Amino acid sequence: MSSVGPWDVVVIGGGNAGLVAAIAARHRVPRVLLLERAARVMRGGNTRHTRNARCASAEYPADELWEDLRGVGPPGPLARLTVERSAGVPPWMTSHGVRWQPALAGTLHLGRTNRFFLGGGKALVNTYHRTASAMGVEVRYEACVTDLRFDGERCTGVVLADGSRIGARAMVCASGGFEANLDWLRKYWGNAADNFLVRGCRENDGQVLAVLFAHGAASAGAERGFHSVAIDARAPRFDGGIATRLDSIPFSVVLNSAGQRFYDEGEDLWPKRYAIWGRNVAGQPGQIAYSLWDTKVSECFLPPMFRPAMAGDVRSLAGLLGLDPPAVSATVSAYNAAVRPGTFDPSRLDDCSTAGLDPPKSHWALPLDTPPYFGVAMRPGITFTYLGVRVDESARVLRAEGAFRNVFAAGEIMSGNILSSGYLAGFGVTIGHVWGRIAGEAAAACD
Ligand SMILES: Cc1cc2nc3c(=O)[nH]c(=O)nc-3n(C[C@H](O)[C@H](O)[C@H](O)COP(=O)(O)OP(=O)(O)OC[C@H]3O[C@@H](n4cnc5c(N)ncnc54)[C@H](O)[C@@H]3O)c2cc1C
């Protein structure tokens, strides 16, 4: 393989991080190639499923975004830089063809903090492809990178699944996390991983990440770190997207397979708590849990994508869900007896709570007493993993000592430098843009 191919920069991965990196590089150098593993119709990785980005602005100062990020877990070493650069993301998006729409109403209330791009992630991906193509970026589909070749600290090129080799002066790795690789997840989660569903694309199996680790890349982020939410257990194994998320939780009681409650369903406002429920369900026997509600609250949240089980009494509902009717009935009776009167208000932390119940339900606690009753089984739905390569402020991939000279990373593959355990809705797209730009520009400047 020639040490320098025809390309100035090769970008691996065609989600928002890869596309932004390719465009940013093309502003500086003429020969940019983007390798997308998926077929053209399925291009765009997890970015296809996105709708909004969380960025600092006049209405949402960087310090407030920083505090919000700190509130969901200890931020990584590059988190502050990401927050500071985030204000530049929406103008960059606009200048590269993205159009905007009013914030979508729903259960996450993100109007002030998040910008919604018109048409969601698919439109975003299509827009960036149009922009990149007009600028002369070349794209190859069904181009799965299986290996990277090195000469000391310099990457001499990439190897594709068909055995072909491509050389370049610099590489940007933007191939996502490893959430679609159940064998890899099993290393940290054991057999529980068999019950995880992957909300995003099946292409993100961490192949490039594993190659970088094998060549001595340093890691960032926790092995078990990931973003996950509770989704309908009937969702497909891959690519179910946003529609399978269950937003009934704060207005329901959540039981495990033994028919017992295990966590405060009304702990906090849903935007601050929705992302812990994937992990909550992952911690239960069989990685399954059940959300049960009654008719009087069924208009309080986005309806589930699949029809819920429905019955005229709690015991019959338990039977339909495959749960033990006496156990569920006992749990619901104890819960109903513990509910204290209050003024129900789904829009704020209201005063409807339980007393003397363990675990408590701190808000929106109403008795389950109005038939018909509804229930849905839930599984952990993984959005993306955090364990990735460690990078410096120019997105250069670091080794235990030193760094690769011409390998950069952007997006989910390096999100562990920013996120540790928690997540803020909309920050994934921000990470992809901030670091896609940094990586693309740094790669273009590489000699
Ligand atoms: C259902 C869902 C909804 C989401 N909603 C939002 C939201 O509204 N806002 C938000 O900020 N974040 C959201 N996220 C998270 C968000 O998708 C990501 O953080 C961000 O889009 C990731 O961008 P990326 O470019 O790093 O990865 P991806 O968009 O996943 O792109 C990775 C790319 O790499 C390619 N690839 C993988 N392996 C290889 C290989 N070996 N060779 C070549 N190519 C390869 C894939 O095909 C893909 O094109 C959501 C995620 C999901 C799953």
Side-chain angles (χ1 to χ4, degrees):
M1 175 165 43
S2 64
S3 59
V4 178
W7 303 105
D8 295 308
V9 175
V10 166
V11 177
I12 307 169
N16 81 110
L19 285 161
V20 170
I23 292 169
R26 181 63 191 87
H27 277 300
R28 286 167 167 72
V29 290
R31 298 163 307 176
V32 177
L33 172 67
L34 184 141
L35 300 171
E36 162 64 286
R37 178 177 186 168
R40 191 176 189 283
V41 289
M42 295 301 281
R43 68 186 182 185
N46 285 353
T47 303
R48 274 189 285 121
H49 293 293
T50 63
R51 295 181 301 167
N52 58 68
R54 180 184 292 254
C55 300
S57 65
E59 299 77 43
Y60 187 43
D63 284 344
E64 186 182 347
L65 171 51
W66 175 244
E67 285 310 316
D68 285 346
L69 197 57
R70 275 162 36 95
V72 297
L78 297 177
R80 185 81 218 190
L81 180 62
T82 313
V83 167
E84 280 160 12
R85 299 275 179 97
S86 70
V89 169
W92 192 94
M93 295 174 80
T94 306
S95 67
H96 290 86
V98 174
R99 297 167 70 193
W100 303 94
Q101 67 181 54
L104 293 172
T107 24
L108 288 187
H109 314 300
L110 297 170
R112 185 174 67 87
T113 56
N114 291 35
R115 297 280 307 263
F116 285 71
F117 22 94
L118 182 66
K122 246 188 143 166
L124 179 75
V125 167
N126 290 343
T127 298
Y128 283 163
H129 270 287
R130 264 198 306 277
T131 301
S133 164
M135 292 172 73
V137 172
E138 188 168 319
V139 177
R140 292 195 195 152
Y141 295 103
E142 298 177 68
C144 178
V145 173
T146 55
D147 202 4
L148 278 79
R149 293 292 161 85
F150 288 88
D151 178 7
E153 292 175 343
R154 176 174 283 280
C155 177
T156 53
V158 302
V159 182
L160 301 185
D162 64 6
S164 61
R165 299 172 173 201
I166 300 170
R169 274 197 298 114
M171 321 285 163
V172 175
C173 301
S175 47
F178 61 92
E179 61 277 354
N181 186 333
L182 294 176
D183 285 336
W184 195 338
L185 290 171
R186 221 176 270 123
K187 275 172 61 181
Y188 313 130
W189 291 89
N191 292 339
D194 294 334
N195 291 320
F196 295 171
L197 302 174
V198 179
R199 302 175 72 211
C201 70
R202 62 175 72 232
E203 284 80 17
N204 290 0
D205 64 2
Q207 230 173 118
V208 173
L209 179 60
V211 168
L212 289 172
F213 283 151
H215 285 282
S219 70
E223 291 174 340
R224 281 165 69 114
F226 59 41
H227 177 273
S228 67
V229 301
I231 65 172
D232 197 308
R234 296 164 291 182
R237 179 109 226 179
F238 295 102
D239 253 342
I242 52 174
T244 59
R245 194 180 73 207
L246 258 265
D247 286 337
S248 55
I249 290 170
F251 308 112
S252 71
V253 293
V254 177
L255 312 181
N256 60 20
S257 55
Q260 284 160 353
R261 291 179 61 250
F262 55 90
Y263 198 89
D264 183 349
E265 304 89 342
E267 189 177 44
D268 204 342
L269 292 167
W270 191 228
K272 296 192 177 164
R273 281 295 171 274
Y274 82 102
I276 66 167
W277 276 91
R279 212 165 263 277
N280 284 355
V281 176
Q284 292 306 303
Q287 295 71 52
I288 193 156
Y290 304 82
S291 174
L292 272 60
W293 68 94
D294 69 4
T295 292
K296 65 180 176 301
V297 295
S298 45
E299 301 284 307
C300 294
F301 52 89
L302 289 173
M305 175 173 169
F306 302 109
R307 197 185 291 278
M310 182 175 82
D313 59 82
V314 167
R315 279 176 175 259
S316 308
L317 182 68
L320 286 176
L321 293 169
L323 295 169
D324 179 42
V328 172
S329 173
T331 300
V332 170
S333 298
Y335 164 80
N336 282 353
V339 170
R340 293 290 164 262
T343 307
F344 180 72
D345 184 350
S347 67
R348 63 179 183 88
L349 293 174
D350 72 6
D351 61 353
C352 292
S353 60
T354 57
L357 193 68
D358 185 26
K361 182 167 179 185
S362 303
H363 306 281
W364 313 295
L366 296 176
L368 249 78
D369 60 4
T370 314
Y373 299 93
F374 301 96
V376 170
M378 305 182 290
R379 293 273 186 206
I382 304 190
T383 319
F384 64 97
T385 47
Y386 296 168
L387 174 68
V389 288
R390 197 181 318 155
V391 299
D392 66 13
E393 294 196 351
S394 66
R396 194 184 298 270
V397 177
L398 298 173
R399 311 175 79 190
E401 279 182 20
F404 293 115
R405 287 188 58 176
N406 59 342
V407 182
F408 302 84
E412 288 175 357
I413 193 171
M414 48 70 73
S415 61
N417 295 270
I418 296 132
L419 303 165
S420 58
S421 48
Y423 180 70
L424 271 183
F427 213 53
V429 167
T430 303
I431 291 170
H433 276 78
V434 167
W435 291 97
R437 273 180 83 181
I438 293 174
E441 289 169 9
C446 226
D447 52 23

